[in-house]
Amino acid sequence: MSSSNHPGMARIRSLALVGQTTAGKTSLAEALLARSGTIGAAGSVERGSTVSDHDPMERRLLHSLQASLMHFNHGEVVVHLIDAPGYADFAGHALSALEAVDTAAIVINAQAGIEQMSLRMMDWAGQRGLCRLIVVNKIDAQEVDCGALVVRLQEVFGKECLPLNLPLANGSAVVDCFFNTSDHPSKPTQFSSVERAHRALVEQVVEVDAGFVDRYLNDGDVDPRELHAPLEQALREGHLIPICFVSTRTGAGVGELLDVIERLLPNPSEGNPPQFYKGEGEAAKPVRAEPDPAQHVIAHVFKVANDPYVGKMGVFRIHQGTVTRDSQLYVGDGRKPFKVGHLFMLQGKEHIEVPRGMPGDLCAVAKVDELHFDAVLHDAAEDDHWHLKPLPFPVPVHGLAIEPKRRGDEQRVWEILQKLVDEDPCLRLEHAVATNESIVYGLGELHLRTLVERMKEVHHCDVVTRPPRIAYRETVTLTAEGHHRHKKQSGGAGQFGEVYLRVAPLRRGEGFQFADEVKGGAIPGQFIPAVEKGVRQALESGVLAGFPVHDLRVTVVDGKHHSVDSKEIAFIVAGRKACIDAVLKARPIVLEPIVKVEITAHAPSLGDITGDLASRRGQISGTTTLLDGSIVVRGEAPLAELSAYQTQLNGLTGGEGRYTIELSHYDPVPPNQQTALANQFKPREED
């Protein structure tokens, strides 16, 4: 796309297709690309010929594993489109996509109705202040009741969910209800009427503008072409969530959806701007990026990919300014800028070089090692320390120990794991000192299984895995004091450091705090960081059962030093052992992750599922019946009790059940389990 035919910022649209897997997001992306003339014909997920699912693993598994970017022109606008994965295990990629767009399109399967990811993505998009659009797909399927689905959408998401168009009686086409004011006698709709739907839309939109309310009451209607400003306001405020109907199989409604994107969805200056902050912690102040191409650059990296051929690639949304080839951009608070050698827009796996990008554009640069997920790119030194309000990513709690098949490949395995973790904000990698293991944490079994397969298929790295580890934690329940004197003589200069400290519990979730209350220089200031380092080593390695210690405050209160023999290493050892001494006196306990669990299955399995969950120390919080007759069981259970749960669920439901989990909180483990975990722990030998 050359600069001469770029439609300009006011004509940019950005849209993320999100929602449950099997809703048809990838097929919808293909239909939009084909209808806009960008590709000759829509590809097929089953044949592995789609633009967005271009990864070999995606084509083999027949579902998306990561967010894929595309763009196309329609009428007067250019549309940036993101196809996001629908499995809960890959929610990190879907959530990241929300950071890059002005509108979230929640795609819903007309047969299945509102499913778990539909609920989550609607909620997450609302929290981020995005304009929201509901796209009901598969309207031509058998036994579909679109009228009942709209009623259900309004029950779950609110009366602001209103049809923007209506499917005809046989699902072969749709008719617009915003610009059309009356029904066509030869084209009966499935439910409602054009006139009634039009009136509901106009009344909802004019409510945000008192002037239009008066005109509507006096004249009985308002020309929809005059309602652009109040419509955008209603979308921004969540006062209107339009519903569109499509069938990607027949193409019904696809052209009308393109017109909705062009005529009604917001451009970068009309959507709600994301909340940026400048500074760190409590000192951070809110700042605003202006969608002005003439200002200095503010861009946000929402996707990182490590391509074996082009190296590390960062994909970013430009929020302010203009990025061109040869732009000099800083990464966060980095002191040295990088030069944009090539600027791309992505079309699936294709990298299309462009001369510039402006606010609202989604662009990419490659071969820049400093790039990382969530980085803010800028071209002015005063804009360092900018960052976006953090996303509410699900916490990874499924752990898998990974080691190389061949001895000597440890470093290579670690580097490959680090690259894969860099690409997914819901993966976490750590080295367990106590067991000398590399452990990667993810959102579920599918998440981790996919990671291992990617290591083998993409990076040609064979590994051995061990059963998932549970991310237990330790904490203290009392205030206690600890002490250690480290004294070592070995011929020449010795080592000496003595530390007195106090540990005290914090509220659950407050993490770790360190304080220095040493008086009179008993421990010289230059050795306090060494004491803290030793304390952190003790807490990371675990004290009671070998799990990280959380939610406590450690205060150094006194100590001694030697003018000749005191060294950093002495205070590291003294700090670590004094901390261990204090924690063991503070009645430590082991905490286990409790997860929210949602199980979807056929209704006859309800009794077996609830009984089985209760036997796993689980608690049921509620059940919901979906439009297709399936039931969703919601509850909480200890993660440790859900090991290999999918296998058990398959047995209970004849292979039809599926489940998702999300971290809820941490609770103390039962006493007998704590004893068993503590007995298994073998503290490392002292240095």
Side-chain angles (χ1 to χ4, degrees), residues 323-637:
V323 178
T324 64
R325 287 193 296 243
D326 300 331
S327 286
Q328 300 276 342
L329 297 179
Y330 294 91
V331 180
D333 58 356
R335 299 292 88 191
K336 185 179 178 182
F338 71 88
K339 181 180 177 181
V340 178
H342 300 278
L343 187 67
F344 302 105
M345 286 185 185
L346 302 182
Q347 194 74 286
K349 66 179 179 181
E350 302 295 329
H351 301 166
I352 299 173
E353 191 158 358
V354 294
R356 63 174 47 81
M358 62 179 62
D361 278 333
L362 311 186
C363 298
V365 292
K367 299 180 180 177
V368 181
D369 290 338
E370 298 84 359
L371 287 173
H372 58 87
F373 173 77
D374 214 25
V376 171
L377 309 181
H378 57 95
D379 60 359
E382 65 266 24
D383 292 331
D384 60 358
H385 294 291
W386 275 53
H387 57 89
L388 268 183
K389 179 181 178 182
L391 277 165
F393 286 114
V395 178
V397 288
H398 267 70
L400 193 65
I402 297 179
E403 62 181 37
K405 264 190 177 178
R406 293 187 308 179
R407 182 175 293 182
D409 278 356
E410 287 81 6
Q411 184 63 31
R412 179 168 179 259
V413 167
W414 180 267
E415 289 173 358
I416 292 170
L417 280 171
Q418 191 63 64
K419 287 181 179 180
L420 295 172
V421 169
D422 286 346
E423 295 178 352
D424 189 333
C426 288
L427 286 171
R428 179 168 59 86
L429 178 63
E430 69 176 39
H431 179 73
V433 177
T435 56
N436 194 29
E437 291 179 316
S438 295
I439 302 170
V440 63
Y441 290 94
L443 298 182
E445 296 170 31
L446 175 62
H447 200 193
L448 295 174
R449 187 167 69 247
T450 301
L451 174 133
V452 173
E453 289 179 15
R454 186 171 290 280
M455 292 184 75
K456 183 174 182 178
E457 293 188 18
V458 178
H459 298 279
H460 310 293
C461 180
D462 287 325
V463 295
V464 176
T465 63
R466 281 194 292 284
R469 286 172 53 97
I470 305 300
Y472 291 108
R473 293 178 176 176
E474 298 176 19
T475 193
V476 297
T477 57
L478 298 175
T479 298
E481 295 188 347
H483 161 250
H484 185 78
R485 171 186 284 193
H486 176 71
K487 187 175 182 180
K488 190 173 183 182
Q489 289 295 145
S490 56
Q495 296 179 10
F496 180 85
E498 187 168 6
V499 172
Y500 292 84
L501 53 74
R502 180 175 62 248
V503 300
L506 296 174
R507 286 196 300 268
R508 202 68 47 80
E510 289 192 348
F512 166 66
Q513 297 176 8
F514 181 83
D516 169 20
E517 293 183 2
V518 176
K519 294 183 174 60
I523 301 177
Q526 71 264 30
F527 292 128
I528 295 297
V531 176
E532 181 178 356
K533 184 175 181 181
V535 166
R536 288 183 179 273
Q537 286 180 357
L539 300 182
E540 288 169 5
S541 300
V543 175
L544 175 65
F547 303 105
V549 188
H550 287 249
D551 305 332
L552 80 167
R553 178 183 176 88
V554 178
T555 305
V556 185
V557 294
D558 201 2
K560 290 181 182 176
H561 74 286
H562 188 278
S563 58
V564 176
D565 291 345
S566 285
K567 299 177 178 65
E568 257 192 33
I569 184 62
F571 280 100
I572 290 174
V573 174
R576 185 175 77 238
K577 292 185 178 179
C579 183
I580 292 171
D581 181 42
V583 169
L584 288 173
K585 294 174 182 175
R587 196 183 293 166
I589 59 172
V590 177
L591 303 173
E592 65 178 341
I594 306 298
V595 294
K596 299 175 186 174
V597 59
E598 288 197 2
I599 305 162
T600 304
H602 292 323
S605 306
L606 177 61
D608 291 336
I609 290 171
T610 55
D612 179 71
L613 203 59
S615 72
R616 297 169 183 267
R617 296 192 282 134
Q619 294 183 330
I620 308 297
S621 60
T623 59
T624 302
T625 302
L626 302 178
L627 285 180
D628 64 355
S630 299
I631 49 103
V632 177
V633 179
R634 292 184 302 279
E636 290 183 348

Side-chain angles (χ1 to χ4, degrees), residues 93-158:
H93 292 289
L95 265 173
S96 303
L98 297 183
E99 295 287 59
V101 297
D102 297 307
T103 303
I106 293 87
V107 184
I108 290 178
N109 181 338
Q111 288 178 300
I114 304 169
E115 298 179 275
Q116 185 203 34
M117 280 296 281
S118 309
L119 290 163
R120 286 188 176 185
M121 298 313 298
M122 181 68 85
D123 180 48
W124 282 330
Q127 289 181 38
R128 299 308 272 189
L130 293 179
C131 301
R132 288 169 289 174
L133 170 73
I134 295 172
V135 180
V136 177
N137 188 19
K138 306 186 182 182
I139 60 172
D140 60 317
Q142 293 183 346
E143 299 181 6
V144 162
D145 187 339
C146 291
L149 178 55
V150 169
V151 171
R152 181 65 179 148
L153 288 168
Q154 292 176 339
E155 289 174 352
V156 175
F157 300 128

Side-chain angles (χ1 to χ4, degrees), residues 175-190:
V175 57
D176 165 71
C177 303
F178 187 68
F179 294 101
N180 286 332
T181 59
S182 59
D183 295 85
H184 194 289
S186 64
K187 296 181 178 179
T189 55
Q190 268 191 30

Side-chain angles (χ1 to χ4, degrees), residues 13 131-133 160 162-164 176 178-179 200-209 212 223-243 259-266 270-271:
R13 306 289 183 270
C131 301
R132 288 169 289 174
L133 170 73
E160 57 269 26
L162 295 173
L164 205 54
D176 165 71
F178 187 68
F179 294 101
L201 282 167
V202 172
E203 288 177 356
Q204 191 76 2
V205 170
V206 299
E207 279 182 3
V208 302
D209 189 311
F212 279 109
D223 187 341
R225 290 171 295 184
E226 298 181 54
L227 291 177
H228 184 81
L231 172 67
E232 299 306 329
Q233 182 180 344
L235 291 172
R236 277 195 305 274
E237 296 176 357
H239 191 67
L240 174 64
I241 302 174
I243 304 171
D259 291 339
V260 166
I261 294 170
E262 177 187 9
R263 301 178 70 179
L264 302 181
L265 294 190
E270 293 171 329

